[in-house]
């Protein structure tokens, strides 16, 4: 059975400043290539390994929109809000839509889709022949600004994210693409929505919890779970705290996703 690991979403990175890739994402490009890279993760892979390796992968330039998810729901009606199993989504799943297969007047097609569970996001990506990004993939990409692959030590970068955390989320979401492309050509990793990741809470499950948590807990990785680094970087660690409290069926009005897929490694 496939791992049912929905993960945190933070910012990360750490491969040193350099010139941005020449081929940043064009407006008509839906995915860009990131990596391979090694970097010092905020959640190290183990107590002895402080550096995480990310293989070459592809990531959506933009979060998935209402229009894109609406098309998916119409093609896969088992994911309509009136048909989805309660095991896979809570009662607020797609609650902002006017009907199970219709957007509300106030819901724009180009806004990121929210109010959906990890299971629904995972199914959408699978239907595209893709998957949700893994923890270290999202962390690596989200650490970048427009010109540097790792901006975690920049206080202004951190403060911009913290300012977004403090803003009320009652207003309508902006359309995707509001931010300029970052170093990798990816947009809207900060300041728009939170994002599901494939193994969203695996890094916070300790080995001692495996014996107590039942079958689901056995799917989670425990190595390094209690040794979070960069404790001064609240912009990252606040995401860990919030998202590690979620379950795969949960939905919120500011939580969406984007897709990823493996990329062929290039030989030097």
């Amino acid at each position: 059975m496939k791992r049912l690991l929905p993960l945190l979403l933070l910012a990360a990175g750490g491969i040193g400043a350099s010139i941005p890739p020449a081929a940043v994402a064009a407006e008509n490009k839906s995915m860009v290539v990131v990596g391979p890279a090694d970097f010092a993760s905020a959640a190290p892979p183990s107590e002895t390994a402080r550096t995480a390796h990310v293989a070459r992968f592809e990531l959506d330039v933009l979060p998935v929109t209402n229009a894109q998810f609406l098309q998916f729901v119409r093609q896969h009606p088992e994911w309509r809000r009136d048909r989805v199993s309660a095991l896979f989504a809570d009662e607020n799943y797609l609650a902002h839509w006017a009907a199970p297969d219709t957007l509300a007047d106030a819901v724009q097609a180009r806004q990121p889709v929210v109010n959906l569970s990890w299971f629904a996001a995972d199914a959408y990506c699978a239907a595209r022949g893709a998957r949700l990004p893994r923890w270290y993939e999202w962390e690596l990409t989200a650490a970048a600004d427009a010109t540097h692959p790792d901006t975690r030590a920049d206080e202004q970068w951190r403060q911009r994210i913290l300012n977004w955390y403090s803003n009320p989320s009652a207003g309508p979401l902006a359309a995707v693409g509001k931010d300029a492309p970052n170093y990798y050509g990816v947009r809207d990793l900060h300041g728009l929505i939170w994002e599901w990741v494939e193994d969203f809470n695996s890094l916070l499950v300790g080995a001692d919890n495996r014996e107590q948590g039942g079958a689901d807990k056995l799917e989670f990785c425990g190595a390094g779970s209690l040794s979070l680094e960069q404790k001064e970087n609240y912009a990252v660690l606040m995401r860990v705290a919030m998202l590690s409290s979620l379950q795969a069926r949960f939905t919120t009005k500011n939580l969406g996703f984007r897709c990823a897929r493996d990329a062929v490694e290039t030989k030097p």
Side-chain angles (χ1 to χ4, degrees):
M1 181 178 178
K2 180 180 179 180
R3 282 186 170 188
L4 302 180
L5 308 179
L7 170 75
L8 343 163
L9 348 154
L10 337 175
I15 56 178
S18 59
I19 299 173
V24 293
E27 286 296 325
N28 61 351
K29 200 170 186 180
S30 63
M31 299 186 99
V32 293
V33 176
V34 180
D38 295 298
F39 68 99
S41 170
S46 72
E47 293 184 2
T48 57
R50 318 313 292 172
T51 300
H53 176 72
V54 175
R56 182 180 171 89
F57 71 102
E58 295 182 47
L59 184 67
D60 279 349
V61 170
L62 298 169
V64 174
T65 65
N66 282 307
Q68 291 170 320
F69 201 78
L70 176 62
Q71 181 180 12
F72 166 75
V73 165
R74 289 174 174 172
Q75 294 172 344
H76 302 272
E78 67 272 21
W79 289 102
R80 289 163 51 114
R81 72 184 187 203
D82 59 341
R83 299 185 188 180
V84 68
S85 169
L87 294 173
F88 299 140
D90 64 22
E91 62 277 7
N92 292 318
Y93 174 70
L94 297 178
H96 61 304
W97 287 11
D101 61 353
T102 306
L103 302 182
D105 292 340
V107 177
Q108 300 175 18
R110 287 276 296 172
Q111 288 173 326
V113 64
V114 292
N115 284 327
L116 81 168
S117 66
W118 178 92
F119 291 112
D122 182 64
Y124 173 94
C125 291
R128 273 181 49 186
R131 56 173 172 77
L132 286 168
R134 301 182 183 113
W135 157 252
Y136 290 131
E137 293 171 340
W138 201 99
E139 186 186 18
L140 170 70
T141 313
D145 66 5
T147 56
H148 300 83
D150 184 4
T151 331
R152 289 172 298 171
D154 186 328
E155 291 186 6
Q156 291 184 342
W157 179 87
R158 295 179 183 178
Q159 191 59 50
R160 181 171 68 90
I161 300 172
L162 291 173
N163 290 342
W164 172 56
Y165 291 165
S166 65
N167 289 334
S169 57
L173 291 170
V176 300
K178 73 180 190 67
D179 283 352
N182 74 358
Y183 177 89
Y184 301 104
V186 180
R187 296 171 178 256
D188 300 332
L189 285 166
H190 302 290
L192 183 59
I193 56 170
W194 305 84
E195 296 184 12
W196 283 114
V197 198
E198 184 177 80
D199 43 356
F200 74 91
N201 59 6
S202 65
L203 298 179
L204 292 186
V205 178
D208 292 342
N209 293 332
R210 285 170 163 238
E211 297 179 359
Q212 304 173 19
D216 287 347
K217 295 293 184 185
L218 294 175
E219 296 290 343
F220 297 160
C221 302
S225 60
L226 301 180
S227 57
L228 289 174
E229 300 289 337
Q230 305 161 28
K231 295 180 176 61
E232 76 284 357
N233 194 342
Y234 297 111
V236 170
L237 300 182
M238 283 179 65
R239 282 183 177 259
V240 179
M242 181 273 194
L243 294 163
S244 63
S245 67
L246 297 174
Q247 295 180 16
R249 64 184 295 272
F250 285 3
T251 67
T252 77
K253 62 183 178 181
N254 56 6
L255 176 59
F257 73 105
R258 70 182 75 213
C259 299
R261 63 187 176 205
D262 297 342
V264 177
E265 291 280 0
T266 57
K267 295 182 179 180

